[in-house]
Amino acid sequence: MGFFSEFRYPTAWYAKLVIAILTLVFFGLLAAAAISGYVVYRVVLPARSHSEINLQNFPGHPQALSYSVAGEGQRDGWFFPGLKSAPTVILCPGYQSSRGELLTLASALQDHQYNVLLIDFSAQGSSGGRSTLGFQEVAELRAAMDAVANRGDVDADHFGLWGANLGAYIALSAAVSDRRIRAVAVESPYGHPNDMAALQVNRMGLGSFPLITSMVKFGFDWMNHLYRNVPPLKLRIQKLQGVAKLYLESPDDPILAVSTRELFQVSPPPHELEVLAHGNYAGMLDDEKHNYENRIVSFFLVNLPPAGEQ
């Protein structure tokens, strides 16, 4: 009893020291939990960029395409028509990006007779909701594909996808289970959404703080417990046998550069890897952007020819 009494009413120096340490640990854990909660909040509800265009006057004569996402409501996309009965390439924006940043890439593909669709995922651009960093967004992409296929003036069985980081994960995940997807070009994909959650901790400068990354991943996984059985891409990628894949490795983000190369190495053929001088399409200079567009267009021309009707 004397031992426990000493810690309840400390008089000895060692009891005071232990109590001080335990107090620091308690408040340290409390502070880490509070910071982690805020980080998770910012990860799933990031700052959004929003772009609007005048569909009537914009080059390429884009059309509004409405579609419904289960549990998320109505969404709208910008459909750039190409040849009748030609394949459609869907552009999947990256994290904290939006479809408005991809208009010139859409125009480059449309110039080569592709149908092109631009969409925003949850917590992007015009779309509300929260980001799940790829879990729920795969269903959003499929809903958009179904809406395009139901138009009746496209090749409903041949789709191509382009995506960066978040969009790249979504594109590869969708292609694993949807045989309509015949070619995929991805820049800086990650292997699992909680990898991207951890990456955001590093980008906020908190990666060196004890427990923060683990707590953020735990909190993010708890919020997305419905998807707890979704395996990492590297365990599913073998299902992409026969699907053309272009991996674009960017040195701008070393962590995603590593995951890009790892996914390339475990991918079945046909696949190719290209190391970019710079990533982030929206932020590229004009010459870099033009070269990037040419590389994407040439990949699709080889692997998803735009044969259709005039």
Side-chain angles (χ1 to χ4, degrees):
M1 293 295 295
F3 177 81
F4 293 106
S5 177
E6 179 62 33
F7 282 99
R8 291 181 63 188
Y9 308 102
T11 56
W13 67 268
Y14 62 85
K16 294 179 180 180
L17 178 61
V18 170
I19 290 174
I21 292 174
L22 290 176
T23 301
L24 287 174
V25 169
F26 173 77
F27 282 105
L29 289 173
L30 194 63
I35 293 171
S36 300
Y38 174 77
V39 172
V40 172
Y41 170 78
R42 296 308 309 162
V43 166
V44 301
L45 291 172
R48 289 193 285 165
S49 61
H50 184 51
S51 301
E52 287 293 343
I53 63 173
N54 187 326
L55 296 180
Q56 293 183 339
N57 299 322
F58 196 85
H61 307 289
Q63 305 163 7
L65 180 75
S66 296
Y67 56 98
S68 179
V69 178
E72 299 293 329
Q74 286 293 119
R75 296 289 174 83
D76 68 281
W78 296 335
F79 182 81
F80 289 74
L83 285 179
K84 186 178 181 181
S85 299
T88 300
V89 177
I90 301 180
L91 304 183
C92 303
Y95 185 71
Q96 290 187 309
S97 181
S98 69
R99 60 186 176 179
E101 298 177 5
L102 305 175
L103 287 167
T104 52
L105 180 55
S107 295
L109 288 160
Q110 187 190 35
D111 287 345
H112 288 79
Q113 311 305 322
Y114 287 103
N115 299 294
V116 185
L117 180 67
L118 291 176
I119 60 175
D120 285 325
F121 295 107
S122 289
Q124 284 185 333
S126 61
S127 298
R130 66 177 179 87
S131 175
T132 64
L133 300 184
F135 287 131
Q136 162 67 24
E137 289 84 349
V138 174
E140 297 176 26
L141 175 58
R142 290 201 187 100
M145 290 176 61
D146 292 341
V148 171
N150 290 333
R151 285 176 57 93
D153 59 353
V154 305
D155 185 339
D157 296 318
H158 289 77
F159 283 83
L161 303 177
W162 171 94
N165 54 71
L166 168 66
Y169 173 85
I170 296 166
L172 289 170
S173 294
V176 164
S177 58
D178 196 322
R179 304 313 300 173
R180 296 175 296 177
I181 300 168
R182 307 302 180 93
V184 182
V186 289
E187 178 188 330
S188 301
Y190 47 85
H192 193 274
N194 63 22
D195 294 335
M196 187 61 166
L199 179 58
Q200 297 313 305
V201 177
N202 288 329
R203 287 178 173 174
M204 293 179 187
L206 299 172
S208 60
F209 286 79
L211 300 178
I212 298 294
T213 299
S214 298
M215 285 185 169
V216 167
K217 292 176 73 172
F218 174 82
F220 177 78
D221 288 342
W222 178 81
M223 289 185 68
N224 296 287
H225 64 279
L226 291 176
Y227 307 100
R228 60 188 178 277
N229 294 324
V230 175
L233 269 177
K234 64 182 180 181
L235 301 180
R236 297 180 281 153
I237 208 78
Q238 286 299 319
K239 295 180 180 179
L240 293 182
Q241 181 77 38
V243 177
K245 298 168 289 296
L246 171 62
Y247 290 91
L248 300 164
E249 180 183 316
S250 168
D252 297 347
D253 198 321
I255 294 176
L256 292 181
V258 170
S259 67
T260 302
R261 189 169 291 267
E262 289 177 348
L263 286 170
F264 166 75
Q265 290 171 344
V266 298
S267 289
H271 61 168
E272 48 189 312
L273 174 70
E274 182 158 331
V275 180
L276 303 171
H278 300 286
N280 182 22
Y281 172 77
M284 290 179 180
L285 300 175
D286 288 344
D287 287 344
E288 287 180 318
K289 187 172 286 190
H290 182 67
N291 291 334
Y292 187 97
E293 292 164 357
N294 287 341
R295 183 66 184 93
I296 300 302
V297 169
S298 65
F299 167 75
F300 284 118
L301 286 173
V302 170
N303 297 287
L304 191 71
E309 301 175 17
Q310 296 286 352

